């Protein structure tokens, strides 16, 4: 789960990370009130959306007067912001963050994430703050410093000192940077975050070390432990189909292809997508209905796939172990009758109650292409998607 910048800074501040003073605002009246509470000039007006690249897209305005700040807020509120991460559709700006400006001496980068190869958290730092870290990694990987952290021990001051000295910090600035890094680690541990990114991390002309921007991504699987963080979810920033899938306990991610996939099991879903691509097609989604799906859940999964206008064929690939093939078949029939089947449907069923499942599909009188092998099913789906 993603949260907004102002929410991320609130979490970080609770654990001792220095952040600029700011106020969230949902209306011009709230912007006006925030400006009276914050010191300036300058005042920074920031669009709050779940996407990076806001500054380059005009979503961050540095203003020297309260009038200019109000004008910037008036321009941004309700506007559609298109960044490199939003796609061409962009995101509607429904909230702003008004922040006090700081005098910047240096811009740095700091990130904390899970290194899956090492199987441990890693804190990364770079002197190339304010830039896309992916570009830095691709062009000058030697500029990225890393501290791998043993989760059984946790982050220690020596990790922070090594990173701070590697960034060229010394004296009080180095000490403040270490304290900030330890605060980022405490936030990571307390919130079950999968990613914390501070870009830029700035050293001010007064020698302070401050998180000028912040992004936190939280592990959905751990949200049951954090109802106070779950309450920060912004449904307006989520894909409607992905939100509906989450409400029905489905694992769904929208992709850019034309072949809808309904599969049980994440591994089988990935293999299904790979075989579709092997035959020259592109999957429209990742959708795992899970091992214990009900007829109702399968029906909702089918409805989510059919709601995507890019879908030109659907491939159902079920290996029934815990999941019974007759339950999948009943869900397919119910969804097709309720929503209307407007694209070709290829179904491959194997496993528990497969004979009954095939009988249910045959009796439905739906226009279904049956397949016994996954390779043949994928090839047929690709062919039908091209002919649809």
């Amino acid at each position: 789960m993603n949260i907004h910048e102002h929410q991320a800074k609130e979490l970080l501040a609770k654990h001792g990370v220095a952040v600029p003073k700011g106020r969230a605002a949902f209306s011009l009246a709230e912007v006006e009130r925030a400006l009276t509470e914050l010191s300036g000039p300058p005042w920074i007006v920031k669009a709050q959306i779940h996407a990076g690249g806001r500054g380059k897209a005009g979503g961050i305005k540095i203003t020297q007067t309260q009038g200019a700040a109000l004008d910037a807020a008036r321009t941004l509120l309700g506007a559609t912001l298109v960044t490199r991460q939003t796609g061409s559709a962009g995101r509607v700006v429904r909230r702003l963050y008004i922040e006090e400006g700081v005098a910047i001496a240096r811009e740095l980068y700091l990130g904390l994430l899970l290194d899956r190869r090492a199987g441990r958290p890693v804190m990364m730092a770079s002197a190339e703050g304010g830039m896309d870290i992916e570009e830095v990694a691709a062009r000058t990987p030697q500029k990225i410093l890393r501290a791998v952290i043993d989760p059984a021990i946790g982050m220690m001051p020596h990790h922070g000192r090594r990173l701070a000295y590697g960034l060229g910090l010394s004296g009080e600035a180095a000490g403040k940077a270490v304290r900030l890094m330890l605060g980022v680690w405490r936030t990571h541990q307390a919130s079950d975050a999968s990613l914390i990114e501070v870009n830029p991390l700035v050293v001010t002309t007064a020698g302070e070390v401050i998180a000028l921007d912040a992004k936190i991504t939280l592990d959905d699987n751990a949200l049951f432990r954090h109802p106070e963080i779950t309450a920060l979810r912004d449904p307006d920033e989520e894909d409607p189909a992905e939100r509906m899938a989450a409400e029905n306990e489905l694992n769904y991610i929208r992709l850019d292809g034309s072949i809808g996939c309904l599969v049980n099991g994440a591994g089988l879903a990935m293999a299904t997508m790979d075989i579709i691509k092997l035959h020259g097609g592109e999957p429209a989604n990742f959708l795992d209905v899970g091992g214990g799906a009900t007829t109702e859940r399968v029906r909702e999964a089918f409805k989510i796939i059919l709601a995507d206008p890019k879908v030109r064929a659907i491939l159902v690939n079920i290996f029934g172990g815990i999941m019974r093939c007759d339950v999948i078949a009943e869900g397919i029939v119910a969804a097709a009758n309720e929503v209307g089947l407007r694209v070709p449907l290829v179904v491959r069923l194997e496993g528990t109650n497969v004979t009954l499942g095939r009988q249910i599909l045959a009796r439905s009188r739906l226009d279904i292409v049956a397949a016994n092998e996954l390779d043949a099913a994928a090839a047929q789906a690709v062919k039908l998607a091209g002919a649809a």
Side-chain angles (χ1 to χ4, degrees), residues 27-328:
S27 66
L28 288 176
E30 291 183 352
V31 171
E32 203 164 6
R33 189 179 311 120
L35 291 170
T36 64
E37 296 173 353
L38 300 173
S39 298
W43 292 273
I44 319 301
V45 181
K46 296 184 173 184
Q48 297 293 283
I49 59 172
H50 289 177
R54 293 172 298 157
K56 294 178 181 178
I60 298 177
K61 308 288 188 183
I62 301 174
T63 62
Q64 299 300 323
T65 68
Q66 292 189 1
L70 277 170
D71 288 341
R74 192 174 291 110
T75 299
L76 287 172
L77 270 177
T80 299
L81 198 63
V82 179
T83 80
R84 69 183 186 278
Q85 292 185 7
T86 64
S88 58
R91 295 276 177 83
V92 177
V93 179
R94 295 180 172 86
R95 67 177 80 181
L96 301 173
Y97 190 44
I98 316 301
E99 196 169 59
E100 293 181 354
V102 298
I104 301 172
R106 289 189 64 191
E107 292 190 2
L108 310 169
Y109 170 89
L110 185 71
L112 178 60
L113 71 161
L114 178 65
D115 184 332
R116 297 189 182 280
R117 286 177 297 180
R120 296 183 175 190
V122 60
M123 184 166 283
M124 301 189 305
S126 173
E128 302 295 321
M131 293 183 60
D132 296 331
I133 195 63
E134 294 84 1
E135 293 182 16
V136 177
R139 296 177 183 177
T140 53
Q142 71 276 8
K143 292 185 177 181
I144 298 179
L145 310 173
R146 295 162 51 90
V148 179
I149 301 167
D150 186 339
I153 300 173
M155 184 174 181
M156 304 298 289
H158 70 83
H159 293 116
R161 286 194 294 271
R162 180 153 53 87
L163 293 174
Y165 297 153
L167 292 171
L169 300 176
S170 60
E172 290 187 11
K176 290 174 181 177
V178 172
R179 287 193 291 274
L180 184 143
M181 293 176 194
L182 291 170
V184 169
W185 171 256
R186 289 191 295 270
T187 306
H188 175 271
Q189 293 296 286
S191 63
D192 286 304
S194 55
L195 169 71
I196 299 180
E197 192 172 50
V198 177
N199 189 24
L201 169 70
V202 300
V203 182
T204 71
T205 54
E208 299 301 321
V209 181
I210 297 175
L212 194 62
D213 196 3
K215 173 183 178 181
I216 296 182
T217 300
L218 301 140
D219 186 347
D220 288 347
N221 296 308
L223 288 177
F224 71 94
R225 289 199 287 258
H226 306 285
E228 75 290 352
I229 293 178
T230 305
L232 302 179
R233 184 186 295 273
D234 184 356
D236 290 327
E237 289 294 314
E238 299 176 356
D239 183 294
E242 293 182 9
R243 186 169 67 245
M244 184 184 299
E247 291 171 355
N248 287 279
E249 299 181 15
L250 299 166
N251 295 309
Y252 172 88
I253 300 172
R254 187 193 295 273
L255 302 173
D256 294 327
S258 61
I259 301 174
C261 303
L262 190 155
V263 190
N264 67 318
L268 186 59
M270 296 297 291
T272 302
M273 293 163 61
D274 286 345
I275 294 178
I276 286 173
K277 291 180 72 70
L278 181 66
H279 285 281
E282 291 292 336
N285 62 268
F286 169 97
L287 198 159
D288 170 20
V289 296
T294 62
T295 299
E296 291 74 20
R297 193 181 300 174
V298 173
R299 183 175 67 237
E300 292 303 316
F302 217 76
K303 288 163 65 175
I304 290 169
I305 293 174
L306 287 171
D308 185 347
K310 297 194 301 292
V311 170
R312 301 170 67 184
I314 297 175
L315 172 58
V316 176
N317 181 29
I318 298 297
F319 183 82
I322 300 173
M323 179 79 263
R324 290 163 30 202
C325 293
D326 57 315
V327 171
I328 292 291

